[in-house]
Amino acid sequence: YLKTAKSMDDNIGRLLDYLEKEGLLENTLIVYTSDQGFYMGEHGWFDKRFMYEECHRMPLLVRYPKLIKAGSSSSAMCMNVDFAPTFLDLAGVKIPSDIQGKSLVPILAGNGTEPNNWRDAVYYHYYEYPAEHSVKRHYGIRTKEYKLIHFYEDINEWELYDLKRDPFEMNNVWNDATYATVKQEMTAKLKNLQSSYNDTSM
């Protein structure tokens, strides 16, 4: 892992040096992101793909001095389906009406401020089972406060986590009566997102 990180650091530096040398640095959009990270024993897992925080979160760094204030950050919820509309938007190309993501330009231009109509949940679905990774099929949603996961097909297990009180997701509150309202709201939100993304593969 350390060797991989060092190699990336070295070569991102080479790229930035080249762009600066050629006078292109200030006019080039630079985006750094990655695949999900692997579990290193958290929850007893060693792979990724499960919807728990350690691999559900992904880095996203964007540099474009014409638009983005250096050092700004945001807690707005975004997904990888947002990349294409963001790039199209910045290139001045019309975003197709059937694209599922949302342009991040309003957030990038607003120093991380979320627009009033920005999403309040992200959707996740893993369905490659049975397969070499042996990760059960599951889908779910994450808001800033809660996460709902449903393992399905040959099993039927629900998990609900209070991310403020339980950031390491060690206490499933699905059957906790004090979360009945949250459970109902999150389930309704899940169904709405599945419908909006036309996800019927469960």
Side-chain angles (χ1 to χ4, degrees), residues 42-80:
E42 299 91 349
H43 298 281
W45 302 124
F46 62 90
D47 193 67
K48 51 182 177 179
R49 297 167 181 85
F50 286 101
M51 198 186 163
Y52 305 113
E53 285 296 281
E54 289 82 6
C55 84
H56 188 58
R57 298 169 67 93
M58 297 163 62
L60 177 60
L61 303 174
V62 184
R63 184 187 191 278
Y64 193 50
K66 287 186 174 182
L67 180 71
I68 306 168
K69 181 180 178 180
S72 59
S73 63
S74 177
S75 61
M77 308 192 83
C78 66
M79 300 185 288
N80 52 12

Side-chain angles (χ1 to χ4, degrees), residues 4-175:
T4 300
K6 184 183 185 308
S7 176
M8 289 177 57
D9 190 44
D10 290 344
N11 286 287
I12 290 171
R14 289 175 62 200
L15 176 62
L16 293 175
D17 288 346
Y18 174 81
L19 291 171
E20 185 173 27
K21 178 182 175 182
E22 297 297 318
L24 300 171
L25 185 59
E26 301 307 300
N27 192 38
T28 300
L29 170 68
I30 298 172
V31 179
Y32 171 80
T33 186
S34 79
D35 193 0
Q36 295 134 309
F38 277 82
Y39 294 106
M40 301 294 284
E42 299 91 349
H43 298 281
W45 302 124
F46 62 90
D47 193 67
K48 51 182 177 179
R49 297 167 181 85
F50 286 101
M51 198 186 163
Y52 305 113
E53 285 296 281
E54 289 82 6
C55 84
H56 188 58
R57 298 169 67 93
M58 297 163 62
L60 177 60
L61 303 174
V62 184
R63 184 187 191 278
Y64 193 50
K66 287 186 174 182
L67 180 71
I68 306 168
K69 181 180 178 180
S72 59
S73 63
S74 177
S75 61
M77 308 192 83
C78 66
M79 300 185 288
N80 52 12
V81 292
D82 297 331
F83 297 162
T86 300
F87 300 155
L88 291 172
D89 197 1
L90 287 170
V93 178
K94 182 179 179 181
I95 300 171
S97 60
D98 62 345
I99 207 162
Q100 291 183 325
K102 300 176 70 172
S103 171
L104 299 173
V105 168
I107 295 170
L108 299 176
N111 298 326
T113 304
E114 293 181 44
N116 292 331
N117 62 343
W118 195 251
R119 69 168 64 94
D120 62 357
V122 293
Y123 180 65
Y124 179 82
H125 191 171
Y126 182 80
Y127 47 85
E128 294 180 357
Y129 181 87
E132 61 190 83
H133 303 292
S134 295
V135 174
K136 289 288 189 180
R137 298 184 185 207
H138 62 290
Y139 53 77
I141 60 168
R142 184 199 193 281
T143 66
K144 290 183 178 180
E145 294 185 348
Y146 302 101
K147 183 183 292 181
L148 177 65
I149 309 172
H150 181 217
F151 292 88
Y152 69 98
E153 194 183 43
D154 56 345
I155 57 175
N156 180 29
E157 295 292 335
W158 290 86
E159 297 180 8
L160 176 64
Y161 295 101
D162 184 333
L163 299 176
K164 297 292 186 182
R165 295 184 177 182
D166 180 27
F168 296 107
E169 300 164 303
M170 302 302 291
N171 183 29
N172 178 12
V173 296
W174 175 256
N175 292 316

Side-chain angles (χ1 to χ4, degrees), residues 174-189:
W174 175 256
N175 292 316
D176 187 333
T178 60
Y179 286 88
T181 301
V182 172
K183 178 177 172 178
Q184 183 178 17
E185 291 173 351
M186 290 290 285
T187 303
K189 194 182 294 289

